[in-house]
Amino acid sequence: MNTKQLDRIHTGKGFIAALDQSGGSTPKALLQYGIKENSYSNDEEMYALIHEMRTRVIKSPAFDSQFILGAILFENTMDRSIDGQLTADYLWEKKGIVPFLKVDKGLADLGDGVQLMKPISGLDDLLKRAVDRNIFGTKMRSVIMEANPVGIRKLVEHQFAIGNQIIEMGLVPIIEPEVDIHSADKASSEKRLKDEIFEHLSTLGKDVKVMLKLSIPTEDNFYSDLMEDPHVLRVVALSGGYTQAEANEKLARNHGLIASFSRALSEGLTAGQTDDEFNVMLSKSIQEIYEASIK
């Protein structure tokens, strides 16, 4: 494990940029960027376009380590290059930004009030490739729709089981049990979730580190005690469908919680913008998310 990257994630000021839209969410991300589905005829063309978008973001002068600690990549992005360097190497060597990899394959059907991750076939091989490509950590998402104790326990068990597999490969897992922001019992789900997380953290080896990616809580500073756990390297927040302004406002009320935004980060960016327009818009978003993350 890269100790400089570890220290940067643990103590640095800034936020994590989520650039990890995968196959299912890529058309929506491209559409938001102003590229319609009739602009590409197959997956390879689609992935080439999304890599162009991500490259534009990463190479922007606004995408700076002064504000951004890490970036989460999709597998296809990890395997591609920027200016002749693999994306992860470009991020760290040119930008000083720590690279992460999304490893889940999407969500299973709803059951017991939650959506677990689909089976991750070939995970060991993917993790080995991630190590070879100098990835620091991984991210995997599940979703809680209601405060069902059986479902929430099952979901956290699944997250930590996969997390242990990732830890064994020398990578830091980002455990992401998202609570749906539209859930009628969101606060109750968050309480059950936190209890389960603490229980599973207590089973980890003394020197094991994980990160947590959680929905911005209903009660301000609700996850402050999780941040104090010695196993927790950092607690980051997903935007979860909030607008950028809403997400920033809620995040700023939670001290120590930093952003790991995707849609909120790319809000307002379009393919038709000039580089100056693009960079100004991205800089504005990054500055506002950064300010919300360090309060």
Side-chain angles (χ1 to χ4, degrees):
M1 184 179 297
N2 187 315
T3 55
K4 287 185 179 180
Q5 293 179 346
L6 183 74
D7 183 64
R8 176 154 177 73
I9 293 299
H10 185 49
T11 63
K13 285 188 175 182
F15 66 95
I16 310 291
L19 306 175
D20 60 333
Q21 295 94 345
S22 56
S25 56
T26 295
K28 186 176 180 180
L30 285 173
L31 189 61
Q32 182 182 353
Y33 185 54
I35 297 177
K36 297 179 180 179
E37 290 191 40
N38 61 10
S39 301
Y40 49 89
S41 56
N42 54 52
D43 284 353
E44 180 55 35
E45 290 180 5
M46 178 184 73
Y47 287 134
L49 287 168
I50 198 73
H51 188 64
E52 286 178 14
M53 183 190 84
R54 288 167 178 154
T55 296
R56 194 180 188 193
V57 169
I58 290 168
K59 291 185 67 174
S60 170
F63 201 78
D64 190 279
S65 60
Q66 180 180 349
F67 312 108
I68 299 170
L69 299 175
I72 305 171
L73 307 175
F74 173 47
E75 179 183 354
N76 190 277
T77 309
M78 177 186 74
D79 291 335
R80 291 177 183 262
S81 299
I82 298 176
D83 291 352
Q85 282 187 292
L86 287 169
T87 306
D89 291 336
Y90 185 93
L91 278 168
W92 180 242
E93 294 175 14
K94 299 293 187 184
K95 290 284 189 167
I97 293 170
V98 180
F100 292 82
L101 174 69
K102 166 189 162 72
V103 297
D104 70 82
K105 303 298 184 183
L107 299 171
D109 293 336
L110 184 67
D112 295 323
V114 303
Q115 287 182 276
L116 303 179
M117 293 177 283
K118 290 179 179 177
I120 309 174
S121 59
L123 179 59
D124 280 341
D125 288 339
L126 177 59
L127 296 176
K128 288 174 185 175
R129 284 173 43 229
V131 171
D132 289 342
R133 284 160 171 71
N134 298 319
I135 294 290
F136 172 78
T138 65
K139 190 214 81 159
M140 50 199 177
R141 171 176 173 258
S142 308
V143 177
I144 297 167
M145 303 298 293
E146 60 186 58
N148 182 311
V150 173
I152 293 174
R153 183 174 302 115
K154 190 185 301 183
L155 180 147
V156 176
E157 285 175 354
H158 192 212
Q159 281 275 345
F160 273 83
I162 302 297
N164 282 323
Q165 192 174 345
I166 291 161
I167 290 162
E168 288 174 3
M169 294 295 294
L171 300 165
V172 174
I174 300 178
I175 307 290
E176 185 183 4
E178 174 182 348
V179 178
D180 189 274
I181 63 170
H182 303 295
S183 172
D185 49 10
K186 180 172 178 282
S188 297
S189 292
E190 289 163 349
K191 184 178 186 309
R192 291 186 182 278
L193 172 63
K194 186 167 75 168
D195 289 345
E196 289 291 338
I197 290 174
F198 268 125
E199 183 175 331
H200 282 77
L201 288 172
S202 70
T203 68
L204 299 177
K206 180 182 176 182
D207 298 323
V208 171
K209 302 292 184 184
V210 301
M211 295 173 63
L212 301 171
K213 182 168 180 175
L214 307 171
S215 303
I216 302 172
T218 305
E219 177 187 328
D220 291 347
N221 299 307
F222 183 68
Y223 293 126
S224 294
D225 47 356
L226 276 177
M227 296 176 195
E228 300 301 319
D229 190 284
H231 295 294
V232 177
L233 192 61
R234 207 74 189 243
V235 182
V236 305
L238 53 101
S239 50
Y242 292 124
T243 65
Q244 185 187 113
E246 289 172 328
N248 286 340
E249 187 272 330
K250 293 176 183 296
L251 180 68
R253 300 201 306 261
N254 287 268
H255 304 297
L257 189 65
I258 67 172
S260 178
F261 293 170
S262 174
R263 281 166 293 185
L265 174 65
S266 60
E267 189 174 297
L269 301 178
T270 66
Q273 290 168 330
T274 66
D275 285 345
D276 284 345
E277 291 169 339
F278 182 92
N279 292 334
V280 166
M281 177 61 72
L282 181 59
S283 178
K284 180 177 181 292
S285 294
I286 287 173
Q287 292 287 338
E288 291 175 355
I289 295 170
Y290 172 79
E291 291 295 331
S293 293
I294 63 172
K295 287 185 178 179

